[in-house]
Amino acid sequence: MSESRVPGTETAGPVVRTASGAVRGRHEDGLAVFRGIPFAEPPVGDARFQAPRPARPWDGTREAYAFGPPPPQEPGIMGRKDVPVAGPTGDDWLTVNVWTPDPDPSSARPVMVWIYGGAFKMGHAGQPGYDAQHIARDGDVVVVTFNYRVGMEGFALLDGAPANRGLLDQLAALEWVRENITAFGGDPGQITVFGESAGAGSVASLMAMERARGLFRRAVAQSVPGTFFSEALARDMAAALAAEAGRRPTAADLATVDPRRLTAAGQSLSARMLGYTDRWGQAAPTVTPFAPVVDGDVLPTTPWQALAAGAARDVDLLVGHNRDEFRLFLAMGGLLDEITEDQLTAALRLLAPGGGAGERAYRAAFPEDTPSDLYERVQTDWLFAMPSLHLAEAQRAGGGRAHVYELAWSAPGSRYLGACHGLDIPLLFGTFRADLGMLLFPGADVPDAAQELSSRFRRSWTAFARTGDPGWPAYDPEERLVQVLDEKPTVTAYPRETSRRIWEGHAFLPLPLLG
């Protein structure tokens, strides 16, 4: 582990001593900010495809001015190939970043730990859209972000390697927070994990994992994906991924390939996954061969099974989704208003609960929908809305507490996008000119309604981190009250009631291998 010092700058920025050594951050607009602190050794060499190892101590004071390099991954925002992966290069992928109002050990502020999304194949904590200054400053909380391995490095199921290495990285980061956050002014007894999309799937996984017990008190899951893989499916996908690289699906074989070259194998297979529908079933249209694997060890069961059995009854849960999740993917694929009747029929039969019965239920319930509207509806329900709602219901069934929301405010960037997937990120972080914000909030001015809703997001999320109450009633199976976040937020009965009834009783189980 390299050490960096600048002679004569001992008073240039705040210094905090971690368990591995001292770090120097910067004063930025009333906050102390520390970036790129190692929480584990670089997972390369003999550590490749293995569980994370503790960071080696260093002497002197290490500069914590810059984000660590992103883990190897596919390029772009949500997979857009024309957008390169920004950030420094190198192998120190496993680093944390801290925004704190005051690095005083006596401060004992609530701590919020962000887990990024990106289909388990992209994303990193240094993305501009995850600048946590507004959350830390507005909410008077300590915010931590970190990198974890994605794609083949983090989630391919390989012989000779533990499953779910990306989740193990997350555990290691949370253990670092528990051990070190007091020195940054945070309270290790008041830790909230929060994440979106794959990050929300990670939050749900952590709630289900015995190894994560006691590492956090509260959890926020924004747009939980319902895609968790069985071992058989994950192994079959790993074999296909390794074949793309001309190797066998073993840690020993793939360790001879440069990590950044392996991302090309993932890209190549993702582009052809629809051709595997007969073998990979519902996983094929996700066009990502990566997800948490229910391996019986790191992840014993799906989050819905674990929570219903009471695994996280002592963890407060805030969970929700956006009204029009799948429209983002239709827009990025150039498919808005372009879905044919044949494409709709295939999607309904593949994704709706009960196959043909589910198709008939959707068609009967929404007779006025166009093929594109109904296609977007069933994709949104299957992939995000119903998994999110069912997670709250599982938490309630297991004796825990949950609050539910739906984001219904439409992005101003396009009249077609509505309340699409990812809209909650720039609203929560207040980063309207970064990453997805550039797509969803074009032009020079951010609407006042967006600014007001953004402030409400941060007030609710940080209030939940502080007290367990985001400002609206807890969800219960009788009234089903949820917060609808719109230009005029309201508390009402769950608004997708028709879809809820269609999916009532459905179990989100590990996706199987069909062939």
Side-chain angles (χ1 to χ4, degrees):
M1 194 70 62
S2 63
E3 174 203 336
S4 180
R5 299 191 198 91
V6 179
T9 61
E10 285 73 18
T11 61
V15 174
V16 166
R17 179 161 295 280
T18 74
S20 298
V23 292
R24 187 189 311 280
R26 295 186 187 277
H27 292 294
E28 298 180 8
D29 299 322
L31 298 172
V33 183
F34 303 79
R35 297 180 176 92
I37 306 170
F39 69 85
E41 282 292 287
V44 296
D46 63 358
R48 183 94 178 270
F49 298 117
Q50 301 305 311
R53 301 173 181 178
R56 295 176 186 170
W58 57 85
D59 297 324
T61 300
R62 182 188 179 102
E63 290 179 355
Y65 298 162
F67 291 112
Q73 61 189 266
E74 296 183 21
I77 300 169
M78 306 298 291
R80 289 169 60 193
K81 295 180 174 57
D82 58 324
V83 182
V85 179
T89 59
D91 299 327
D92 254 338
W93 310 327
L94 303 183
T95 58
V96 301
N97 319 289
V98 183
W99 288 257
T100 176
D102 181 13
D104 179 348
S106 67
S107 297
R109 286 175 167 84
V111 181
M112 299 184 69
V113 182
W114 172 252
I115 305 178
Y116 54 76
F120 299 103
K121 63 182 179 180
M122 65 189 79
H124 60 97
Q127 291 175 235
Y130 301 146
D131 183 341
Q133 61 170 307
H134 299 296
I135 299 175
R137 188 182 300 111
D138 294 357
D140 194 32
V141 297
V142 178
V143 183
V144 179
T145 69
F146 63 86
N147 286 346
Y148 63 94
R149 283 172 285 181
V150 295
M152 292 185 73
E153 301 296 321
F155 288 96
L157 187 59
L158 308 174
D159 289 341
N164 298 307
R165 295 172 298 280
L167 297 181
L168 294 177
D169 292 345
Q170 295 169 17
L171 281 177
L174 287 169
E175 288 166 351
W176 183 94
V177 172
R178 180 178 60 186
E179 185 174 8
N180 293 284
I181 205 63
T182 298
F184 293 88
D187 180 355
Q190 285 271 83
I191 294 173
T192 297
V193 291
F194 66 129
E196 182 267 351
S197 196
S202 298
V203 168
S205 298
L206 291 165
M207 293 180 73
M209 292 165 60
E210 181 64 34
R211 302 184 195 191
R213 295 290 180 272
L215 289 177
F216 54 93
R217 183 173 179 179
R218 300 186 176 101
V220 183
Q222 303 169 209
S223 303
V224 181
T227 48
F228 284 70
F229 292 167
S230 65
E231 280 195 273
L233 176 63
R235 289 198 183 281
D236 202 62
M237 286 183 167
L241 285 162
E244 292 285 337
R247 297 290 193 275
R248 296 176 301 167
T250 68
D253 252 28
L254 291 171
T256 64
V257 182
D258 186 293
R260 293 161 186 83
R261 282 184 51 208
L262 284 185
T263 62
Q267 282 181 271
S268 177
L269 184 61
S270 293
R272 297 184 288 103
M273 280 183 67
L274 282 174
Y276 286 79
T277 301
D278 290 345
R279 187 170 183 82
W280 294 344
Q282 292 177 328
T286 68
V287 297
T288 175
F290 307 107
V293 181
V294 180
D295 67 320
D297 178 22
V298 176
L299 187 59
T301 66
T302 68
W304 300 272
Q305 293 169 303
L307 268 59
R313 65 168 59 96
D314 296 329
V315 176
D316 297 326
L317 173 64
L318 171 57
V319 61
H321 59 81
N322 304 347
R323 184 189 60 203
D324 311 306
E325 295 271 9
F326 204 75
R327 286 192 195 176
L328 177 68
F329 306 106
L330 290 175
M332 296 182 76
L335 295 174
L336 281 169
D337 296 328
E338 298 294 330
I339 298 298
T340 66
E341 182 63 33
D342 286 346
Q343 288 173 309
L344 170 62
T345 297
L348 287 170
R349 292 177 181 175
L350 180 65
L351 304 178
E359 177 194 0
R360 292 189 292 274
Y362 265 93
R363 290 187 183 277
F366 305 103
E368 303 302 318
D369 276 10
T370 66
S372 289
D373 289 341
L374 196 54
Y375 182 92
E376 184 271 322
R377 189 186 300 274
V378 72
Q379 292 274 10
T380 289
D381 284 346
W382 170 74
L383 189 54
F384 296 114
M386 294 303 111
S388 299
L389 180 68
H390 282 216
L391 195 71
E393 293 181 340
Q395 177 72 339
R396 283 281 309 188
R401 180 181 175 90
H403 292 79
V404 178
Y405 73 90
E406 181 186 70
L407 174 59
W409 186 78
S410 294
S414 167
R415 65 186 180 90
Y416 300 107
L417 287 174
C420 66
H421 189 66
L423 177 60
D424 46 322
I425 295 174
L427 287 172
L428 174 60
F429 283 86
T431 49
F432 300 106
R433 294 288 174 256
D435 293 345
L436 275 176
M438 294 183 291
L439 171 67
L440 301 174
F441 296 88
D445 298 320
V446 176
D448 289 344
Q451 298 283 13
E452 292 168 8
L453 188 54
S454 181
S455 293
R456 178 177 285 271
F457 256 95
R458 288 191 291 280
R459 285 197 306 272
S460 297
W461 266 232
T462 56
F464 178 77
R466 191 177 302 279
T467 68
D469 183 355
W472 63 85
Y475 184 86
D476 71 78
E478 286 76 40
E479 292 187 276
R480 301 191 180 91
L481 294 179
V482 307
Q483 172 77 74
V484 176
L485 292 163
D486 207 337
E487 189 162 348
K488 293 183 179 179
T490 59
V491 175
T492 186
Y494 182 65
R496 297 179 83 93
E497 175 62 13
T498 303
S499 291
R500 187 196 68 78
R501 288 183 178 274
I502 292 174
W503 288 83
E504 195 167 23
H506 176 79
F508 284 94
L509 301 175
L511 298 182
L513 177 66
L514 301 181

